[in-house]
Structure formats: C-alpha cells, structure tokens
Amino acid sequence: MTKVLVIAEHAGGKLNPATAKCVSCARAIEGAEIHVAVLAADASEVASQAAQLEGVARVLKVEHAANAEPLAAVLAPQIVALAGDYTHLLAPSTTFGKDLMPRVAALLGVGQLSDIMTVERPYRFRRPIYAGNAIITVEAPSDRKLVATVRTASFQAAPNGGNAEIQAVQLNVELPTHTRFVERSAAATGRPDLQTAARVVSGGRALGSEEGFKLIYSLADKLGAAVGASRAAVDAGYAPNDLQVGQTGKIIAPELYIAVGISGAIQHLTGIKDARTIVAINKDPEAPIFEVADIGLVGDLFEVLPELERQLG
Amino acid sequence: MSKILVGLKRVIDYNVRVRVKPDGSGVVTDGVKMSINPFDEIALEEALRIKEKGGATEVVVASIGPADAQQQLRTGLAMGADRAILVQADAPLEPLAAARVFLKLIEREQPQIVLLGKQGIDDDNNQTGQMLAALWNRPQATFASKVELAGATARVTREVDAGLETIEIDLPAVITTDLRLNEPRYVKLPEIMKAKKKPLDTLTLGDLGVDATPQFKVTHYAPPPPRQKGIMVKDVGELVATLKQKGLIQ
C-alpha cells in the first residue's frame, strides 16, 4: 500500500503554503494515503490547518520543546522514527525541505530525489537539472522508501475542505544538542511573501541604484505585489538577497510577473518559467527576457514605471 | 592540528549553455569547458580565509571524478590549498555515495570542518553536505553566508527563504556555502607553477571500500518545454489595456 508522509513547513503557528503544494504532489501519486507530520513546540494550530487540506487522511502532531525552531539535525531523527511503513516521505523544496530531507534520507540509508516537478508513476518522476536547461525522467526503486523534495512552483496548492483526524504522537528519540538556534532576521516589509505572492514585480541591474530600486517597491505596492530582484541587482547591492529570483534564489510561480530592467539570464528565467503571465519592460529589444515574455514593452523604465503607476490610478 | 576538508566537483562551466543531446541520452559534454563547481570554489575560498586568520593549519581539497578532475584540484592547489585527493570514479556518483566517500576521507583526515558547496550546478541536488553530516552524526550548517569560528563552536548565518538565520554548531561539522559567503580569489601565474609541486594523491572507490551503485535510474533527458510566443505592446496604455483584458488587473 502506498502511504505518503508530508513534512509540514510552518512558522509562527501558520502552515506554510508550500505544504499544501506538497500535498498536491502527494495526491498525484496514485492510490496514496496521505498523512502530514507537524513537528513543533506547540503544534495545535498548524495541525488543524493541515487537517483541512483536501486529500489528507491524518495529521501527526509531534510536540517537543526542541522543535521550536526547524533545525534539521533535531527534526531528522524524529522523522526517521515516524517513517514506519510509509513508502514516500515528502517535503517542499524550500530551504526548510532542502536542509532537512537529505539528512532524513541518509539516516534511512536511502538516496533522495530533489525537486519533483511531475509525478509520472508512484516511482517515476521528472525533475530539472542544469538550472532547468534539462528535464530528466528518473526511476526510483520501489523496494525502499522514497525520500524527496517537491518543486512547489510545479504544483497548485491543495484546497481546504478536508477534515483529517489529528493524532498526537510521542516519540522516544534522543535529540542532539550540538546544533542551536540563535536568531532569525526577516525583513518585515508588510508586502506579500515573494515565494507565494500572486503578483510579483522584479527589478534588475538597469534600476541603477538602491535609490532607483524604489520605483520597483512603489509599483509593487500599487499592485499589492511582492518584490523580487535579479541576481545582478542583488550583487550590485540594490536589493537584499532574500528577494533574489532565479535558480540560485527563489523559484516562483505567480499569476503575474513583471520583470523590469532584467535582461533575462538563464538562471533568472529558470526561477520564473512557471509564472502564468510574464511581462517584460526593457530598453534593449534584443534582451533574452523578451523570448519568454507573454507581454513585452521596449522602453526606458524610468519613463515607463511612473507612467504605468499613473495609469493604474 | 586543525584541518579543513573542502570538496571540489568538476562540472560544466557555469557560462556554458547546457544542451540536451537529440536522442535524449544525456547532455552535450564533448568539447565543453569544465570548471570547479562555483559553490565549491566559494567553499575553498572560505577555508583559505579561515586558515589565513589562524583558524586552521591545513586545507585539503578532494574531488570525486574522472582522472581529468586533477585539473580542478590543481586549480584548488593554485588558489592556496595545501594538498589534494582525487577519488577516481568514472561514472558520476549519487549524493549518498559521495557522502560515503567523504565520510571515509574524514576518517583518514580527521578534519575540524568540512566545507562543501550547497549544490552542484550540474545535477542541482543540494544533498551531499546534509547526508555527510547525517552519516558522520555531526552538525550541518547549510547555505552559509557568514561563518565565525569561536573555539570549539562556529556561528553560521544561513540564507533561508524567510531571510537570514543564525545557528551555533559544535565542531567538527559540515558547512555548505551559499553565493554571498565570499568572492573567490583569482589565481596568479606563480601560484599555478607552485601548485604543480604540491601533493595530489589518487585513490579509488575500492581503496575506500565504498559501493557506489546508483539507486536511481535516469531514463530520459529532455530540453525544457518552450513557452508560447508572446506579444509586444507599443506603450504603457496598451500594456495596461492588455493586462485588464486578461483579467490580471482591475
């Protein structure tokens, strides 16, 4: 029997939407019974959110003071203890899942599959390599557990509407103390989260300065959009690194992506190719971004952006 | 004395536009420029900086790959590494097998820190460091953008989706690097000459007793699906009208 355990990602009592996408990937595995594991200091709120996801049969609540912060070294042995008769263990391919799942796999003595973008069969998947320049079909052995991360941009979030049973689980696992959380500094912007926003406005090196980049924030606020940046803009210091969109930054799939002054290096395009509609605004009509754009506008961004804002009213 | 072990993977140079072979059997590698995986180059740079500040006495670089991976190890030696180890393997290893090789190297070398790139830019797996830390039963600090050593511990700032996270780990440990940790140095000609005299040992998987039988089977390679051709608009007015028409804005 195919049983999938999805490891929930969460923070501050909220289930991260990446988890719902991961559940969708699990639902694409034929005949799977899907459980979600919530490891937290206090898991109640997150567990009840996970229980509402359609397709989830059971939520396992693992509460421990050491689970207050998501440290891979602390979580991994607990997930191994939960692994039991599950055939598949999944987590989103976010920094949370990427940090955690290889450690889980190695403790189980099995390999790990990264960035599932398509489920073809319960043990056959497609995933990107070479920054998305090639898509490979991979067959995994069906006689051992499959540990994998899910490329969240490839899946729609599972809707609410479920009512799964929540089960508290006590684990008797020795947890390491060699890894300790110190702090997390998130830029509190009040804007939507880049990873999950429906609209994103991104700026490139053509913005010219940190000051120039304010035009991007301004347009984003007008549209209720999240702000992104190309690696070139980040490298130049115009925008912080957590805004970086691309293979080495965040891979996103918004409904609307507006790329301003971004030439369109392959590593950037990899991060946006699942966006529903891509709008490109660039001075250079030859910029590669226009090859992937659904709507292109050749023009000087310093004239186009203020005019765009004005016409948006 | 304290030693740092650094992994250097030989990969297609990041400036090369990788193409899939028409028969779907792999990607084109003939006549393609090969380099050190960029994240690994950052790992080596960090190791060298730690040594230069007195935090380590020796930097050892290791690669798993074909005989030609000696080129990347020589580059690593020219950057400033003291010694190199090539674990010869003609076929690519899956991350779990690579982690098992590194575990064997750890047993031989007893490093205080193992520095690896967060991922190879070829298979984009992002696994080996985490797996190695698990097998070694030691801490992992992945996606590092800042590393500060303090005696038997390290404070590592990590690039996570929410921003920056700082953790404290006991050493020995595995640290994997993100892009912003540092900018690797350029290699100067005299260093290249000097690097030729530095020791480079070659081992086989058999010497280390590692079974590298792959677990996964790649059955097909395909180019990414192309996007539909888009339209060009002439001005902001037309852009706004098009967005409204598509229901993307009110």
Side-chain angles (χ1 to χ4, degrees):
Chain A
M1 176 168 167
T2 308
K3 278 180 78 180
V4 182
L5 184 63
V6 172
I7 313 304
E9 175 171 0
H10 58 88
K14 286 215 166 54
L15 187 67
N16 187 301
T19 307
K21 296 183 173 189
C22 216
V23 166
S24 287
C25 175
R27 293 177 90 187
I29 299 171
E30 205 185 335
E33 179 177 323
I34 302 166
H35 297 182
V36 175
V38 179
L39 293 90
D42 174 359
S44 303
E45 276 181 63
V46 177
S48 52
Q49 291 160 41
Q52 288 171 33
L53 294 176
E54 219 173 85
V56 175
R58 187 181 297 176
V59 176
L60 308 178
K61 201 167 81 164
V62 185
E63 295 185 320
H64 193 292
N67 293 345
E69 297 294 340
L71 297 169
V74 173
L75 299 182
Q78 299 176 73
I79 293 165
V80 169
L82 286 174
D85 61 349
Y86 291 102
T87 54
H88 297 63
L89 301 171
L90 303 181
S93 186
T94 53
T95 51
F96 165 78
K98 289 188 223 180
D99 187 38
L100 176 61
M101 296 312 267
R103 189 158 185 128
V104 171
L107 292 178
L108 290 168
V110 299
Q112 194 232 270
L113 192 64
S114 295
D115 304 314
I116 292 176
M117 54 191 296
T118 313
V119 179
E120 292 200 335
R121 288 186 197 159
Y123 291 94
R124 193 163 85 189
F125 306 89
R126 272 190 275 168
R127 64 169 298 255
I129 58 170
Y130 287 106
N133 282 309
I135 311 296
I136 54 173
T137 306
V138 185
E139 280 179 9
S142 56
D143 61 352
R144 57 185 89 172
K145 290 185 197 306
L146 180 83
V147 181
T149 60
V150 175
R151 185 174 182 277
T152 52
S154 300
F155 295 90
Q156 299 281 330
N160 281 342
N163 184 20
E165 164 202 359
I166 298 174
Q167 182 190 347
V169 180
Q170 290 292 329
L171 297 175
N172 190 13
V173 183
E174 200 186 330
L175 300 180
T177 55
H178 54 48
T179 304
R180 298 168 292 274
F181 176 83
V182 178
E183 62 179 356
R184 185 173 305 114
S185 60
T189 61
R191 293 190 180 85
D193 174 46
L194 174 58
Q195 194 88 55
T196 52
R199 295 171 177 177
V200 174
V201 181
S202 259
R205 202 203 295 273
L207 271 303
S209 64
E210 204 176 342
E211 185 66 25
F213 211 85
K214 286 184 182 159
L215 284 170
I216 298 296
Y217 290 108
S218 176
L219 177 60
D221 290 346
K222 196 99 198 175
L223 288 166
V227 172
S230 70
R231 183 169 153 194
V234 169
D235 281 350
Y238 306 163
N241 188 56
D242 53 333
L243 299 189
Q244 194 195 133
V245 172
Q247 181 64 20
T248 53
K250 291 188 172 70
I251 293 174
I252 58 174
E255 292 293 312
L256 175 62
Y257 185 76
I258 303 182
V260 182
I262 292 177
S263 63
I266 182 70
Q267 84 92 16
H268 185 77
L269 301 184
T270 301
I272 61 168
K273 67 188 178 59
D274 288 315
R276 190 65 56 85
T277 300
I278 298 175
V279 175
I281 299 168
N282 205 298
K283 205 160 62 177
D284 174 12
E286 303 298 319
I289 190 80
F290 287 120
E291 287 167 31
V292 301
D294 300 285
I295 308 171
L297 173 58
V298 176
D300 181 348
L301 68 93
F302 294 103
E303 290 164 18
V304 170
L305 290 192
E307 176 62 15
L308 181 54
E309 263 196 58
R310 199 185 58 78
Q311 292 205 22
L312 289 170
Chain B
M1 288 309 284
S2 92
K3 196 186 282 185
I4 303 178
L5 178 63
V6 179
L8 298 184
K9 189 176 188 184
R10 172 182 165 92
V11 299
I12 294 179
D13 187 84
Y14 77 103
N15 283 313
V16 174
R17 175 113 196 209
V18 173
R19 284 177 299 121
V20 173
K21 289 180 187 167
D23 67 357
S25 66
V27 299
V28 177
T29 52
D30 286 349
V32 165
K33 185 183 176 198
M34 304 296 286
S35 298
I36 297 175
N37 178 43
F39 291 106
D40 298 347
E41 208 176 351
I42 292 170
L44 175 54
E45 176 65 35
E46 195 65 19
L48 296 173
R49 289 185 191 188
I50 291 170
K51 184 187 165 193
E52 284 157 6
K53 281 188 282 191
T57 49
E58 191 182 27
V59 174
V60 180
V61 285
S63 190
I64 308 169
D68 284 345
Q70 286 185 37
Q71 296 162 11
Q72 281 66 44
L73 288 170
R74 288 287 171 204
T75 304
L77 292 169
M79 278 177 71
D82 300 291
R83 232 159 20 87
I85 303 169
L86 173 64
V87 179
Q88 208 163 323
D90 294 326
L93 267 64
E94 287 179 355
L96 183 60
R100 286 177 173 149
V101 167
F102 270 92
L103 185 66
K104 293 292 181 185
L105 295 179
I106 285 171
E107 286 165 9
R108 295 165 82 110
E109 298 288 341
Q110 301 290 318
Q112 184 77 345
I113 300 171
V114 180
L115 266 162
L116 304 175
K118 72 168 180 179
Q119 73 193 67
I121 61 163
D122 47 3
D123 54 26
D124 286 333
N125 272 318
N126 196 330
Q127 299 175 11
T128 304
Q130 295 89 312
M131 287 181 158
L132 175 60
L135 299 178
W136 194 15
N137 198 17
R138 293 302 307 166
Q140 68 188 46
T142 52
F143 327 141
S145 63
K146 192 174 173 194
V147 176
E148 295 166 290
L149 299 186
T153 65
R155 209 169 244 248
V156 180
T157 302
R158 309 176 52 232
E159 304 251 357
V160 295
D161 291 334
L164 297 174
E165 177 184 289
T166 305
I167 59 172
E168 187 182 70
I169 53 174
D170 294 340
L171 300 177
V174 177
I175 298 173
T176 77
T177 61
D178 217 318
L179 275 181
R180 297 211 303 174
L181 181 58
N182 61 50
E183 268 191 51
R185 65 196 64 189
Y186 288 102
V187 174
K188 298 186 198 83
L189 190 61
E191 305 296 334
I192 296 173
M193 302 310 288
K194 246 169 45 191
K196 289 182 178 160
K197 297 199 188 87
K198 290 184 180 175
L200 191 162
D201 293 331
T202 300
L203 299 168
T204 64
L205 293 172
D207 292 338
L208 296 172
V210 173
D211 174 13
T213 311
Q215 175 175 334
F216 297 102
K217 200 165 101 190
V218 178
T219 56
H220 187 68
Y221 290 73
R227 280 184 79 93
Q228 293 273 325
K229 184 92 185 107
I231 56 161
M232 297 300 289
V233 293
K234 63 179 190 311
D235 57 24
V236 171
E238 197 183 337
L239 173 61
V240 171
T242 309
L243 290 173
K244 281 186 177 160
Q245 189 204 333
K246 285 177 174 263
L248 290 163
I249 57 171
Q250 268 82 50

